[in-house]
């Protein structure tokens, strides 16, 4: 036998055992955004490398070391998208969706980052996200956060996630803060790690985001961004907090919250959980009022978030909140004897015609009753319909309960649809 080829490290197959929960999650996400009037924007997974360099920032983990970048056959530098905000802005500018307009859009799909694979961190992962354009807020900031809060409610995980909130202020205010932070960090340079020392020169705010406990201790008393906010950003932030209070959305102000991408200003937020271990951020977002112009469009305010679907799925599985996920099969239809095969096939088709959404698996491959019932048991079906020569003659079916301790029943074929409708109603 020749050697089997394996999947790329950090890139996962979604096997049938998991695809049910994925579909269920994706459907719910679509329903929620639809209920807020958002529309989908689908962009290619490959973009010009420059798009991400110009938006995410040259001195960020993503651009420095995580991008899948390669030369196209004509020599152009292309990159598998590491996130989708830049692509949305690129597409919005290119197609005139943002110019003098308000837009509310959502997206879902694979993203690629060359990170060290571990639980909740992969090289191909999936994000669901929303972006709004043309609205200054803070009303729309509150809407974006409210929408994310509704997601947790829908999935039953509200008690397991916490909202952390901060404001990065204007670019000018951040520049003043930056100087204060650099002065503070320079005095404590000996307590910083190599990464943080490098960042101190290139992107000092990112030092606040360090996960290294020693660095965290060193920055414990660092100056706080929130004390440096310009008046307008301060008002924006206070108004947002008031709206969240009025909406009953709880949050924790985290003055050290900065995002790993350069384009954010004013509002930034993360939904974090302690049910996932180290990879605790499920959803992250904020305002990025400068990005549209930075990528060549007419300036337009914007706010959005991105959520990691793997982390959400992991949470639902860890917390055992998957009861609502539909089973792949509801009814298993057997066919005993060659003469009944076509009859079973037609009956199965009739059930699919009559009962919307019913999942009917028809036995193929023959075999005796024992063999067919074993297959039925192994499927997720709750009922098996047993059909043999005599049932066919009598225009009846035998219903066997596969998951309940109940005696089998003989049912007239003409009553079958009504019977199944009543059995599966809830
Ligand atoms: P982290 O701090 O966990 O590295 P990040 O700041 O890099 O996250 P964002 O770029 O803001 O993350 O992406 C938004 C969300 O996408 C994250 O909160 C997370 O849920 C998910 N995510 C990011 N990177 C990965 C990855 N490599 N594998 C799985 N999910 C990811
Ligand atoms: Mg990251």
């Amino acid at each position: 036998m020749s050697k089997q080829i394996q999947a790329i490290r950090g890139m996962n197959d979604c096997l049938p055992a998991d695809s049910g929960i994925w579909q269920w999650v994706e459907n719910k996400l679509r329903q929620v955004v639809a209920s807020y009037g958002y529309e989908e924007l689908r962009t290619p997974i490959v973009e010009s490398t420059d798009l991400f360099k110009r938006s995410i920032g040259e001195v960020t983990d993503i651009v420095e070391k995580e991008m899948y970048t390669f030369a196209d056959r004509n020599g152009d530098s292309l990159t598998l998208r590491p996130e989708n905000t830049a692509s949305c802005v690129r597409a919005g500018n290119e197609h005139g969706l943002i110019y003098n307009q308000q837009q509310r859009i959502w997206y879902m799909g694979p993203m690629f980052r060359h990170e060290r694979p571990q639980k909740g961190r992969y090289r191909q992962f999936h994000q669901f996200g929303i972006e709004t354009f043309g609205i200054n807020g803070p009303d729309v900031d509150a809407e974006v956060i409210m929408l994310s809060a509704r997601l947790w409610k829908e999935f039953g995980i509200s008690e397991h996630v916490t909202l952390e909130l901060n404001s990065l202020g204007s670019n000018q205010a951040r520049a003043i803060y930056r100087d204060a932070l650099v002065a503070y960090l320079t005095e404590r340079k000996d307590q910083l790690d190599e990464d943080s020392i490098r960042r101190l020169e290139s992107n000092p705010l990112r030092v606040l985001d360090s996960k290294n406990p020693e660095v965290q201790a060193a920055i414990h008393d660092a100056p706080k961004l929130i004390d440096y906010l310009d008046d307008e950003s301060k008002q924006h932030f206070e108004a947002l907090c008031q709206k969240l209070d009025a909406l009953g959305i709880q949050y924790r102000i985290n003055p050290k919250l900065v995002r790993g991408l350069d384009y954010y200003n004013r509002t930034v937020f993360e939904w974090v959980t302690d049910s996932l271990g180290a990879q605790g951020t499920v959803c992250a977002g904020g305002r990025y009022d400068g990005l549209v112009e930075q990528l060549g469009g007419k300036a337009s305010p914007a706010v959005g978030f991105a959520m990691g679907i793997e982390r959400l799925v992991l949470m639902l599985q860890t917390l055992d909140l998957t009861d609502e996920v539909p089973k792949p099969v509801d009814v298993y239809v057997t066919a005993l004897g060659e003469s009944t095969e076509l009859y079973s096939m037609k009956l199965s088709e009739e059930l699919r015609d009559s009962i919307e959404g019913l999942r009917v698996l028809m036995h193929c491959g023959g075999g005796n009753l024992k063999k067919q019932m074993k297959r039925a048991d192994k499927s997720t079906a709750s009922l098996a319909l047993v059909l043999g020569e005599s049932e066919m003659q009598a225009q009846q079916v035998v219903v066997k309960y596969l998951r309940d301790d109940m005696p089998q029943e003989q049912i007239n074929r003409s009553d079958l649809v009504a019977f199944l409708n009543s059995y599966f109603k809830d």
Side-chain angles (χ1 to χ4, degrees), residues 79 82 93 208-209 286 301 337:
T79 294
N93 283 340
L208 297 176
D209 200 27

Side-chain angles (χ1 to χ4, degrees), residues 250-400:
Q250 286 170 12
Y251 54 89
R252 196 174 76 87
I253 295 175
N254 174 357
K256 294 203 179 67
L257 180 65
V258 292
R259 304 282 311 114
L261 302 86
D262 277 355
Y263 50 63
Y264 288 108
N265 67 307
R266 290 198 177 163
T267 312
V268 286
F269 65 93
E270 285 192 357
W271 286 95
V272 296
T273 178
D274 46 22
S275 23
L276 288 181
Q279 311 329 317
T281 307
V282 190
C283 172
R287 189 161 269 289
Y288 50 97
D289 296 331
L291 186 60
V292 175
E293 191 176 26
Q294 201 179 313
L295 291 177
K298 182 183 165 212
S300 169
V303 57
F305 70 70
M307 190 197 79
I309 304 182
E310 279 81 1
R311 292 189 193 175
L312 173 61
V313 167
L314 260 172
M315 255 186 104
L316 294 167
Q317 288 170 332
T318 309
L319 297 165
D320 205 9
L321 295 170
T322 57
D323 282 357
E324 274 181 56
V325 178
K327 304 273 182 288
V329 181
D330 299 316
V331 177
Y332 195 97
V333 181
T334 67
L336 297 161
E338 229 169 279
S339 59
T340 56
E341 260 173 28
L342 199 56
Y343 182 80
S344 288
M345 217 177 247
K346 283 185 176 161
L347 180 98
S348 301
E349 204 61 356
E350 226 176 86
L351 297 179
R352 297 181 189 113
D353 281 339
S354 314
I355 306 176
E356 205 192 311
L358 188 71
R359 294 157 180 232
V360 182
L361 196 108
M362 185 195 75
H363 181 88
C364 286
N368 60 20
L369 179 65
K370 196 170 157 209
K371 177 178 162 193
Q372 297 200 17
M373 286 309 295
K374 219 165 146 183
R375 286 265 167 80
D377 247 341
K378 237 183 116 183
S379 81
T380 59
S382 40
L383 299 180
L385 305 185
V386 180
L387 283 165
E389 190 81 29
S390 54
E391 283 80 18
M392 186 170 76
Q393 297 300 337
Q395 291 288 301
Q396 291 188 323
V397 292
V398 172
V399 175
K400 278 183 182 286

Side-chain angles (χ1 to χ4, degrees), residues 62 113 115 120-122 125 127 211 259 261 281-284 306-308 311:
I62 295 178
R113 295 184 195 176
E115 303 201 67
R121 195 175 286 289
Y122 313 99
F125 62 100
Q127 283 183 340
K211 310 253 154 50
R259 304 282 311 114
L261 302 86
T281 307
V282 190
C283 172
M307 190 197 79
R311 292 189 193 175

